[in-house]
């Protein structure tokens, strides 16, 4: 009797141990998945806005260039959000009474800017510059995705350090000629030769791009 009982107790202990181990593994896998998930990195973040502005209509439909509204993108660190006057160049004639545009008209008469909610927001200890990318062959689409297909603006890239570095280690396949910078649906230099040619044209040296001080200064 006694030995049999002990063997059972042993196997019970083994079952419990295996169970605890499996649970621990499951918890850490779950934690890792959550940590790495879009939820954690804000991929897919598309906040509610004061006016339901659609890039799909204005870029995809009307064919406006990004720089028409984001005029700082080539000359400063920030792309900039257009002032109400930019909207009014058209909307003083188009859709003048639309309910949807009431906040835009109100912003004009009260001279208070619309309070857009930021979609992308890097931590303050990270230095980022639009000018540095846009003038060196990195197109909007490489970081923001198919904006021309967005009825609501949504974050497409994780904006983690790993993501920045994956391009800084090997920028060549992500480069395009300057006249394609704001194009949507353009495939960057996918063959090695044209990538290397663009690396030379823009005088890009990947070694300094990996240094901490490039992004943390
Ligand atoms: C007619 C003006 C207009 C044009 C043209 C335009 N945008 Fe915008 N864009 C806006 C406005 C207004 C916002 C703020 C509201 C929003 O986030 O949807 C915005 C927001 C954005 C944001 C998110 C900013 C944030 O808060 O992080 C990105 C990215 C962006 N635009 C990229 C582009 C790109 C790329 C193009 C060209 C393919 C483009 N836009 C063309 C008006 C415009
Ligand atoms: C170059 C002209 C032009 C500019 C600049 C412009 N719009 Fe429009 N917008 C239009 C036209 C045309 C339509 C009607 C689109 C349609 O029905 O296809 C429209 C439609 C809209 C609508 C209705 C919803 C939709 O997308 O169909 C909203 C809201 C809107 N615009 C907001 C804005 C805001 C905010 C700005 C400034 C950041 C702006 N627009 C700048 C031409 C413009
Ligand atoms: C190398 C990646 C990259 C490229 C290329 C890029 N962006 Fe951005 N963009 C970002 C990041 C990262 C942020 C968030 C910056 C922050 O939070 O300080 C951002 C923010 C923005 C914003 C909102 C804040 C601001 O800067 O005023 C707009 C609008 C925008 N981008 C438009 C554009 C347009 C238009 C282009 C192309 C002409 C473009 N971006 C190219 C990565 C990029
Ligand atoms: C798709 C490719 C790509 C992505 C993604 C990217 N970069 Fe860059 N970055 C470049 C290229 C190309 C340059 C230009 C290099 C040069 O001037 O030689 C650059 C330049 C820079 C510079 C200027 C360096 C200097 O010495 O002036 C900074 C700062 C920078 N990147 C920060 C970032 C940060 C932060 C992120 C992520 C949020 C990021 N980049 C994502 C390709 C990229
Ligand atoms: C190409 C740009 C870039 C370079 C180069 C870079 N970082 Fe970062 N780093 C970032 C970004 C972007 C974040 C923000 C990550 C986030 O919010 O998830 C970050 C975050 C961090 C953090 C905060 C903790 C974390 O992981 O979120 C530390 C610490 C850090 N970086 C250290 C370094 C060190 C050390 C180096 C050099 C070996 C370095 N970084 C090089 C872009 C860069």
């Amino acid at each position: 009797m006694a030995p049999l009982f002990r063997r059972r107790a042993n196997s019970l202990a083994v079952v419990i141990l295996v169970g605890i181990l499996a649970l621990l593994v499951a918890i850490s896998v779950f934690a890792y998945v959550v940590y790495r998930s879009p939820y954690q990195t804000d991929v897919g973040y598309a906040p509610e806005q004061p006016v339901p502005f659609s890039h799909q209509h204005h870029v995809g439909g009307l064919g406006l260039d990004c720089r028409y509204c984001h005029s700082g993108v080539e000359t400063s660190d920030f792309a900039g959000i257009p002032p109400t006057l930019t909207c009014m160049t058209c909307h003083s004639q188009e859709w003048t009474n639309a309910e949807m545009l009431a906040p835009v008209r109100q912003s004009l008469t009260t001279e208070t800017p619309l309070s857009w909610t930021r979609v992308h927001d890097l931590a303050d200890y990270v230095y980022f510059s639009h000018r540095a990318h846009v003038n060196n062959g990195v197109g909007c689409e490489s970081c923001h995705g198919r904006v021309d297909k967005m009825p609501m603006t949504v974050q497409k890239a994780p904006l983690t350090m790993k993501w920045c570095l994956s391009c800084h280690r090997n920028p060549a396949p992500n480069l395009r000629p300057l006249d394609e910078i704001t194009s949507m649906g353009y495939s960057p230099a996918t063959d090695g030769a044209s990538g290397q040619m663009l690396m030379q044209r823009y005088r890009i040296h990947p070694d300094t791009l990996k240094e901490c001080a490039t992004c943390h200064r």
Side-chain angles (χ1 to χ4, degrees):
M1 275 310 271
L4 178 69
F5 176 75
R6 202 168 293 141
R7 222 175 297 135
R8 275 222 188 138
N10 278 346
S11 48
L12 186 65
V14 167
V15 166
I16 290 172
L17 254 173
V18 169
I20 290 173
L21 276 176
L23 194 69
L24 281 176
V25 169
I27 289 172
S28 35
V29 166
F30 179 73
Y32 183 78
V33 166
V34 169
Y35 176 68
R36 279 291 143 209
S37 74
Y39 174 71
Q40 177 66 25
T41 58
D42 287 342
V43 167
Y45 179 56
E48 197 69 45
Q49 299 290 1
V51 180
F53 175 79
S54 159
H55 282 92
Q56 189 176 45
H57 265 149
H58 293 86
V59 178
L62 300 173
L64 293 178
D65 188 272
C66 315
R67 289 163 290 196
Y68 183 90
C69 291
H70 302 296
S71 53
V73 83
E74 291 170 315
T75 50
S76 89
D77 290 350
F78 304 99
I81 299 294
T84 303
L85 267 180
T86 306
C87 313
M88 277 305 176
T89 50
C90 296
H91 288 294
S92 52
Q93 286 124 42
E94 299 264 2
W95 280 46
T96 47
N97 294 315
E99 189 59 37
M100 249 183 238
L101 285 160
V104 181
R105 292 190 296 269
Q106 199 181 8
S107 155
L108 192 77
T109 47
T110 59
E111 293 178 37
T112 22
L114 287 160
S115 54
W116 302 105
T117 304
R118 293 188 70 147
V119 181
H120 303 78
D121 201 357
L122 280 177
D124 290 341
Y125 56 82
V126 182
Y127 171 67
F128 180 81
S129 168
H130 275 93
R131 182 179 44 179
H133 291 92
V134 171
N135 296 323
N136 283 298
V138 188
C140 317
E141 188 182 348
S142 295
C143 300
H144 295 303
R146 289 300 295 267
V147 174
D148 62 325
K149 292 188 170 169
M150 295 178 187
M152 267 182 99
T153 317
V154 51
Q155 181 175 327
K156 280 293 177 189
L159 307 188
T160 52
M161 177 158 135
K162 197 173 153 196
W163 175 76
C164 308
L165 282 171
S166 68
C167 182
H168 277 210
R169 287 205 183 93
N170 181 25
N174 299 294
L175 301 178
R176 39 174 104 197
L178 283 187
D179 57 2
E180 301 284 0
I181 283 300
T182 59
S183 303
M184 292 280 131
Y186 176 88
S187 304
T190 34
D191 65 294
S194 49
Q196 284 315 314
M197 204 187 69
L198 290 168
M199 287 287 281
Q200 282 178 7
R201 185 189 298 174
Y202 299 120
R203 296 199 188 84
I204 293 170
H205 304 289
D207 9 313
T208 57
L209 284 181
K210 286 169 281 187
E211 283 166 13
C212 314
T214 299
C215 307
H216 305 294
R217 42 177 90 171

